[in-house]
Amino acid sequence: LRETESIQTEFTVADIISTVEFNHTGELLATGDKGGRVVIFQREPECKTEPFSQGEYNVYSTFQSHEPEFDYLKSLEIEEKINKIRWLPQQNAAHFLLSTNDKTIKLWKVSERDKRPEGYNLKDEEGRMKDLSTVTSLQVPVLKPMDLMVEVSPRRVFANAHTYHVNSISVNSDHETYMSADDLRINLWHLGITDRSFNIVDIKPVNMEDLTEVITAAEFHPHHCNLFVYSSSKGTLRLCDMRESALCDKHSKLFEEPEDPSNRSFFSEIISSVSDVKFSHSGRYLLTRDYLTAKVWDLNMENKPLEIYQVHDYLRSKLCSLYENDCIFDKFECAWNGSDSVIMTGAYNNFFRMFDRNTKRDVTLEASRESSKPRAVLKPRRVCQGGKRRKDDISVDSLDFTKKILHTAWHPTENIIAIAATNNLYIFQDKLNQEMHG
């Protein structure tokens, strides 16, 4: 694994990265932060003289997506923090992406301009209207080359549809609709219509005191436009089929692992909450992340997960202090590689974990400035729980719980990954297979 780039050193809370997303080709990478900004990185084309330059991502465009707002009816501040970014499949020269904060989803158009028209008849070069009495002849305006400009413009604003905080947006494979999910409801939108959405899931009880679970994440199936999945704080997954009824309160399939009564504890419910769910690229599997594990589910097997991966099992003995410092409520994301053979998810101490589904090998790596000079090869890390320590082992007691990798993304086809570590974006590439199999 090579580290190719990281950004920013001193930071404020506004600089903390809150979402990371590659577009469908992997040429662009977008990050959103707590300050409501979106930064888009573009991959550099391969250079014959510098073979390593390929894969380097440089800033392509930065724009303010959301501003802080105030809901006067509820006396609530609405943060500008970007919760999720989703790219639309590219249809023409421009790129489109959706970004959302807690309440409002926006559609942005990202386009390039490298020519400008000159030689207007009624306007001068600054764009001011000419005195018409001075216009004595007609000329044909011409397009002149200019320095490349990246223009980002808001195309649609989808507002006023969520009472609770939006935690997910997902673009449908029909390329015409998308859904947005909050704690209790999922809405279906048409990309061209901003003033109405259709409520397709509503788990809000008549009496809020009867509330036992909330929706934590939702995603459309990559190929079947009628299927979507949503996860809950109770550790369940519900697969819904929009062909069955307009309101998908009755799921088609319920994926749930029966609880082992011998493992039951005060923390069982909290740590079983699913923080992220992702369909595999093939559409056959689901990847979920809860507090301690990542699980792979087969769509054809509801009663238990196909595979369970321990992300940081050494924290089981630390749940009490993690509860007291609120870390137990951290929401880690997970990601598939392009061939669905390796999964990735984050942990504490700026560690992230990879699990090879075929060889069952796993590796812990660290995203940090100390261990990552450009083109440095990352060393696998190991955490020990007391007893004998090997030379490079890190003790559980010395882990830094303020440094956490919550947001990760994997290039759709290549071994390039993006890791958000607080305010730094790390991009690692290439050597993955040697790490996993070597």
XYZ file of all heavy atoms in Angstrom, residues 18 31 67 88 105 114 128 155-156 186 200 203 208 211 227 272 303 332 335 351 380 401 417 424 426:
214
model
N -16.415 14.477 6.909
C -17.582 13.725 7.373
C -18.109 12.743 6.334
O -19.007 11.953 6.628
C -18.696 14.701 7.778
O -18.937 15.644 6.741
N -15.024 14.824 -1.037
C -15.119 14.764 0.423
C -16.032 15.894 0.879
O -16.056 16.969 0.276
C -13.745 14.946 1.107
O -13.275 16.278 0.847
C -12.730 13.944 0.601
N -24.961 25.869 4.282
C -24.694 26.884 5.299
C -25.473 26.518 6.564
O -26.496 25.849 6.481
C -25.181 28.260 4.809
C -24.564 28.725 3.499
C -23.187 29.332 3.667
O -22.729 29.455 4.822
O -22.572 29.686 2.644
N -23.977 10.933 -9.319
C -24.881 10.341 -10.307
C -24.026 9.763 -11.426
O -22.955 10.307 -11.728
C -25.823 11.403 -10.890
C -27.114 11.666 -10.111
C -26.827 12.142 -8.699
C -27.979 12.678 -10.842
N -31.250 18.198 0.840
C -30.408 17.532 -0.163
C -30.266 18.481 -1.352
O -31.254 19.114 -1.768
C -31.053 16.204 -0.601
C -31.293 15.313 0.626
C -30.177 15.475 -1.610
C -32.610 14.611 0.623
N -13.257 25.874 -20.982
C -11.904 26.281 -21.406
C -11.959 27.199 -22.633
O -10.955 27.459 -23.281
C -11.014 25.061 -21.691
C -11.585 24.171 -22.774
O -12.696 24.469 -23.270
O -10.929 23.177 -23.128
N -20.367 45.079 -20.339
C -21.259 46.246 -20.244
C -21.912 46.511 -21.591
O -21.297 46.294 -22.645
C -20.476 47.481 -19.798
C -20.001 47.419 -18.351
C -19.406 48.766 -17.934
N -18.205 49.057 -18.726
C -16.971 48.796 -18.282
N -16.778 48.254 -17.101
N -15.924 49.098 -19.033
N -28.216 22.892 -8.970
C -29.288 22.675 -9.946
C -30.647 22.444 -9.292
O -31.668 22.839 -9.809
C -28.949 21.469 -10.850
C -27.699 21.628 -11.672
C -27.629 22.995 -12.347
N -28.668 23.206 -13.328
C -28.500 23.086 -14.646
N -27.321 22.761 -15.118
N -29.495 23.308 -15.456
N -30.669 21.750 -8.160
C -31.941 21.496 -7.479
C -31.706 21.489 -5.971
O -30.641 21.102 -5.506
C -32.516 20.120 -7.844
C -32.607 19.863 -9.347
C -34.032 19.560 -9.768
N -34.319 19.244 -11.142
C -33.644 19.522 -12.225
N -32.515 20.120 -12.122
N -34.065 19.215 -13.430
N -38.142 6.801 5.150
C -37.364 6.811 3.904
C -38.247 7.420 2.819
O -39.412 7.021 2.646
C -36.914 5.394 3.501
C -36.036 4.776 4.602
C -36.157 5.426 2.178
C -35.611 3.340 4.351
N -41.753 6.004 1.408
C -41.831 4.562 1.103
C -41.625 3.684 2.328
O -41.969 2.511 2.316
C -40.858 4.146 -0.042
C -39.430 4.625 0.223
C -41.356 4.662 -1.375
C -38.411 4.106 -0.793
N -41.504 4.080 9.993
C -41.543 3.206 11.174
C -41.898 3.998 12.431
O -41.754 3.509 13.545
C -40.211 2.439 11.379
C -39.058 3.396 11.701
C -39.863 1.579 10.169
C -37.820 2.695 12.255
N -44.755 8.002 20.447
C -43.284 7.965 20.374
C -42.652 7.222 21.556
O -41.500 6.818 21.494
C -42.716 9.384 20.286
C -42.791 9.976 18.888
S -41.799 9.078 17.671
C -40.259 9.962 17.760
N -41.369 3.771 20.704
C -40.260 3.656 19.742
C -39.195 2.696 20.265
O -38.685 2.876 21.367
C -39.643 5.038 19.504
C -38.548 5.113 18.443
C -39.130 4.892 17.059
C -37.845 6.464 18.487
N -35.533 -2.871 -5.649
C -35.085 -3.394 -4.353
C -34.220 -2.387 -3.593
O -33.388 -1.696 -4.185
C -34.263 -4.673 -4.544
C -34.976 -5.910 -5.098
C -33.986 -7.047 -5.266
C -36.129 -6.329 -4.188
N -24.865 -3.883 18.855
C -25.417 -4.623 17.705
C -26.045 -3.684 16.677
O -26.404 -4.098 15.575
C -26.458 -5.639 18.176
O -27.572 -4.955 18.715
N -31.238 -16.081 7.981
C -31.185 -16.406 9.412
C -29.848 -16.107 10.081
O -29.770 -15.971 11.286
C -31.580 -17.873 9.655
C -30.636 -18.825 8.920
O -29.934 -18.416 7.990
N -30.611 -20.071 9.331
N -19.128 3.670 12.340
C -18.092 3.330 11.365
C -18.740 2.889 10.055
O -19.750 2.187 10.056
C -17.216 2.189 11.901
C -16.365 2.570 13.075
C -16.800 2.335 14.381
C -15.131 3.177 12.892
C -16.009 2.675 15.476
C -14.329 3.522 13.985
C -14.779 3.276 15.280
N -16.653 -0.749 3.319
C -16.552 -0.655 1.857
C -16.099 -1.979 1.261
O -15.364 -2.744 1.888
C -15.558 0.453 1.477
N -6.443 3.453 12.872
C -6.270 2.155 12.219
C -7.441 1.896 11.276
O -8.559 2.340 11.532
C -6.238 1.009 13.255
C -5.000 0.971 14.098
C -4.958 0.173 15.242
C -3.876 1.701 13.760
C -3.817 0.120 16.036
C -2.732 1.654 14.546
C -2.706 0.866 15.681
N 2.000 -3.449 8.557
C 0.859 -3.943 9.337
C 1.072 -3.679 10.828
O 2.194 -3.761 11.322
C 0.857 -5.447 9.045
C 1.594 -5.589 7.755
C 2.622 -4.495 7.750
N -8.473 6.981 21.353
C -9.868 6.871 20.894
C -10.385 8.166 20.270
O -11.494 8.195 19.757
C -10.767 6.439 22.063
C -10.502 5.033 22.503
C -9.856 4.766 23.704
C -10.872 3.963 21.692
C -9.583 3.459 24.098
C -10.607 2.654 22.074
C -9.968 2.400 23.273
N -7.632 3.383 -2.274
C -8.608 3.625 -1.220
C -8.419 5.023 -0.665
O -7.312 5.576 -0.691
C -8.490 2.584 -0.087
C -7.072 2.548 0.478
C -8.934 1.204 -0.561
C -6.911 1.641 1.684
N -7.661 14.985 7.814
C -6.731 14.585 6.754
C -7.376 13.560 5.836
O -8.089 12.669 6.304
C -5.465 13.962 7.343
C -4.628 14.998 8.060
O -4.391 16.071 7.540
N -4.209 14.684 9.273
N -6.278 10.619 3.335
C -5.172 9.780 2.884
C -5.649 8.966 1.692
O -6.755 8.424 1.704
C -4.719 8.823 3.993
C -4.090 9.525 5.167
C -4.856 9.898 6.260
C -2.726 9.820 5.178
C -4.281 10.556 7.344
C -2.151 10.477 6.257
C -2.936 10.841 7.338
O -2.360 11.485 8.395
